[in-house]
Amino acid sequence: MKHTPELLRSILDALPCPLFWKGRDLRYLGCNTAFAQLAGKEHPDQVVGLDDYQLPWRKEDSDLYRASDEKVLSTGLPQPDTEEGVWDGDGQRHWTQTSKVPLFDAQGRVFGVLGLLIDITAWRDTQTQLRLALAAGEAANRTLQAQAAAQEAMQRALAMSDLRLRTAVRGAQMVIWSLDAQGLFTFSDGGGLSDLGLTPGQNLGRSVFDVYENMPKVLEQTRRALAGEAFSTHTLVKGMHYETRFTPVHDESGTVQGTIGVALDVSERVRAQEQLEAELERTRGQLLQVERLASLGTLAAGVGHELRNISTVLDSLRGAFVECAERGVPPEREELEELERVCAHVATHGRHLMDLGRPGNAVVEPVDLRELVSGTLAMLRTAGVTRYVRVSASEPGEPLWVRASRTRVEQVLLNLVRNAADAVESVKDRPAEVRVRLFEERHAGWACCRVEDTGVGIPEENLGSIFEPWFTTKPPGRGTGLGLPVVRNLLREAGGELSVESRVGQGSAFTFRLPLCAA
């Protein structure tokens, strides 16, 4: 099947990825529209005849590009998946995954090099926390369009260009197709067809609505394109992930005559992203466990101190009971009441220690925020964390229901109230107070908890850093620097948010919000 130069030009210009080709002298013989825009040119013809030093690239980058081009020309071997930095015509830096293949003439001699650039700037930026995971895109060839005066020479050049285009496209993990206005395939090619169990040209003349009748999402996308909409989307076909671009084809009157589609196989990139997200989730879980253990150690130490005091009372009562037994008289009523009080105190401490030590599961259920606040404040009092601090709480008369993990909201409260108690520890010129206030923002659908203190406050230059892991203003041994980052992550995972207000010498206020829910 023959294709007009216009169709070939439309297909190549529909590619979302920049594509170029050079001669042996490393001057550009041509490119597609995407590459011309990257180079700051309005039309591909403005790139023809230039070399890399005449484009907006930096000299050191141009040296690297030409070195890799010369390697392809000298060896005749492709150079796939090279990560390169590119400065565009606007002075913006892009990161590309560049693949290059040699171009051969009819005698098998290398006469040039063809390159395909896949923009991975956004992808690369999102992976800086752990590692670079980039999907490989193999080189796609583009035709060399000879510009000859004679019609016979033009036809020969077009025939050769068509052959080279098909060779390049079939060597890349992509699928290129075109449909007419009725949805019949007029072009179908690409190395990615084999993954779909198809061969180049197999669907020519068939209706896309018959070929993909069992894939409603593909048919819905096709209808949008045939209606004149140009768009990019993500498509899952037979377990393979594709980034797909649809470009309608119009005639001179603006009537849609069909559409061109280009699909790049990004399955490896998607799998790498899923692995990175799982790794991030494991890391978040480890940070949560570290902070929980730190909280448990701090509170358990306070409970242990209280239990030592109780043991002194119990030992005194034991001596009194032994003395009564030796004299054959019953214990005094006051001594029995004291024993009852001490036993109840021990039971309270034991219950709080078990609450602290239970696994931090993430079972999501409706929880009354008022109950969590009162229980957490009691736990902190038992541990002695707020013994020398005046703590007050205000709450509405009705329950504040949120749907969240009880243990994770408890950990948020423990961190915020404990931090507030630490902040007022060194205050001498005003009362050391911590105020916990519960309220609704019903118009926004929030249940809110505000933890205020009259402490030292946070310097303005530190406010932007308090949520960074390992940052702490506490003395060595008093904090891990993970409390606030963990608190913010816990709230975000529950659909909530955290805000802070602070003034040096006056105190701070942390407010967290969680979505209201029905009981």
Side-chain angles (χ1 to χ4, degrees):
M1 180 177 181
K2 295 184 178 179
H3 302 283
T4 65
E6 290 79 9
L7 176 58
L8 294 174
R9 166 68 69 177
S10 297
I11 290 174
L12 292 177
D13 284 343
L15 287 170
C17 304
L19 188 70
F20 69 87
W21 57 96
K22 303 177 182 177
R24 293 197 63 89
D25 61 356
L26 300 185
R27 291 185 177 274
Y28 286 92
L29 299 176
C31 66
N32 66 354
T33 299
F35 186 88
Q37 292 174 347
L38 181 65
K41 305 297 183 182
E42 295 183 357
H43 192 274
D45 291 345
Q46 294 176 300
V47 178
V48 175
L50 302 179
D51 61 25
D52 289 298
Y53 299 117
Q54 295 171 296
L55 293 180
W57 328 138
R58 301 184 309 173
K59 180 182 182 302
E60 55 267 33
D61 291 335
S62 297
D63 292 341
L64 291 175
Y65 304 157
R66 293 169 65 88
S68 64
D69 294 341
E70 290 172 348
K71 185 175 180 181
V72 173
L73 291 171
S74 63
T75 64
L77 298 175
Q79 188 171 341
D81 306 338
T82 300
E83 186 175 307
E84 295 178 340
V86 178
W87 295 84
D88 64 17
D90 295 327
Q92 299 294 317
R93 187 171 191 178
H94 299 260
W95 286 97
T96 66
Q97 194 172 55
T98 304
S99 297
K100 297 179 180 179
V101 297
L103 296 174
F104 296 94
D105 59 18
Q107 288 73 40
R109 293 171 299 190
V110 178
F111 72 88
V113 58
L114 178 136
L116 172 70
L117 285 68
I118 298 178
D119 192 327
I120 59 171
T121 305
W123 169 258
R124 190 178 189 274
D125 290 343
T126 58
Q127 311 312 310
T128 55
Q129 298 178 37
L130 294 176
R131 66 177 182 271
L132 204 58
L134 302 171
E138 292 188 11
N141 202 352
R142 188 180 188 283
T143 62
L144 176 63
Q145 214 172 29
Q147 295 186 356
Q151 181 66 29
E152 182 178 354
M154 175 69 77
Q155 293 299 326
R156 286 198 303 268
L158 287 175
M160 183 60 69
S161 295
D162 181 71
L163 175 61
R164 290 169 180 166
L165 172 62
R166 290 177 178 275
T167 301
V169 169
R170 291 175 184 177
Q173 287 305 105
M174 64 167 56
V175 180
I176 303 176
W177 70 95
S178 62
L179 305 173
D180 65 12
Q182 287 70 46
L184 299 179
F185 281 96
T186 58
F187 184 85
S188 175
D189 216 324
L193 285 173
S194 60
D195 293 329
L196 302 175
L198 300 172
T199 57
Q202 179 177 336
N203 287 329
L204 293 183
R206 299 180 63 189
S207 171
V208 66
F209 301 103
D210 293 334
V211 175
Y212 295 104
E213 60 180 345
N214 296 323
M215 298 182 182
K217 185 175 181 179
V218 172
L219 297 184
E220 187 272 334
Q221 294 169 355
T222 301
R223 292 188 182 96
R224 288 170 58 189
L226 292 177
E229 182 180 354
F231 62 96
S232 297
T233 185
H234 180 275
T235 308
L236 180 64
V237 179
K238 295 184 178 181
M240 306 293 291
H241 294 268
Y242 294 93
E243 283 185 0
T244 308
R245 174 70 184 176
F246 287 90
T247 304
V249 177
H250 301 85
D251 62 14
E252 294 181 355
S253 66
T255 303
V256 177
Q257 297 298 306
T259 185
I260 295 172
V262 180
L264 297 176
D265 183 356
V266 294
S267 301
E268 288 299 322
R269 184 189 304 176
V270 170
R271 282 191 284 270
Q273 179 69 28
E274 291 172 348
Q275 291 174 358
L276 285 172
E277 289 175 354
E279 186 67 25
L280 284 172
E281 182 60 33
R282 284 194 293 271
T283 301
R284 282 195 293 266
Q286 290 168 357
L287 290 176
L288 177 60
Q289 184 63 15
V290 168
E291 179 58 22
R292 182 172 179 79
L293 289 175
S295 299
L296 176 60
T298 300
L299 298 179
V303 173
H305 178 74
E306 289 289 307
L307 290 177
R308 283 197 298 273
N309 293 337
I310 292 172
S311 69
T312 302
V313 178
L314 288 174
D315 189 59
S316 175
L317 289 173
R318 181 191 62 79
F321 291 159
V322 169
E323 183 179 342
C324 289
E326 290 175 348
R327 291 190 289 114
V329 296
E332 296 289 336
R333 180 179 181 83
E334 291 79 4
E335 293 173 337
L336 292 175
E337 290 175 349
E338 177 67 8
L339 177 62
E340 182 181 3
R341 185 190 68 79
V342 171
C343 288
H345 204 179
V346 170
T348 298
H349 286 314
R351 184 175 65 256
H352 285 167
L353 275 177
M354 292 188 67
D355 287 343
L356 287 171
R358 70 178 181 270
N361 58 66
V363 175
V364 177
E365 58 186 349
V367 177
D368 183 2
L369 200 55
R370 302 180 310 167
E371 174 194 343
L372 283 182
V373 169
S374 61
T376 301
L377 293 181
M379 202 182 302
L380 288 165
R381 283 194 300 272
T382 300
V385 173
T386 58
R387 178 186 303 174
Y388 304 110
V389 179
R390 179 182 174 184
V391 179
S392 62
S394 62
E395 60 186 37
E398 299 296 325
L400 279 179
W401 292 104
V402 297
R403 188 168 183 81
S405 162
R406 176 182 297 271
T407 56
R408 293 194 171 186
V409 177
E410 278 181 355
Q411 184 158 352
V412 169
L413 287 164
L414 283 170
N415 271 285
L416 295 181
V417 177
R418 190 180 65 192
N419 284 350
D422 289 343
V424 300
E425 187 177 273
S426 60
V427 169
K428 304 299 182 186
D429 58 342
R430 57 187 179 277
E433 294 184 60
V434 174
R435 296 181 291 271
V436 181
R437 184 165 68 91
L438 293 174
F439 58 97
E440 286 187 19
E441 290 180 353
R442 186 166 293 277
H443 65 283
W446 292 118
C448 308
C449 179
R450 183 178 177 89
V451 180
E452 303 174 345
D453 64 68
T454 59
V456 295
I458 303 171
E460 184 176 353
E461 62 269 20
N462 288 341
L463 279 175
S465 303
I466 60 175
F467 295 111
E468 296 177 3
W470 317 116
F471 179 85
T472 180
T473 58
K474 296 180 181 180
R478 292 293 300 275
T480 62
L482 294 175
L484 288 177
V486 167
V487 163
R488 186 170 64 171
N489 283 337
L490 290 177
L491 291 170
R492 285 179 174 175
E493 290 172 1
E497 60 182 34
L498 176 65
S499 61
V500 58
E501 305 164 40
S502 186
R503 296 186 67 180
V504 174
Q506 296 186 27
S508 303
F510 287 82
T511 304
F512 72 84
R513 297 170 175 82
L514 289 169
L516 285 164
C517 76

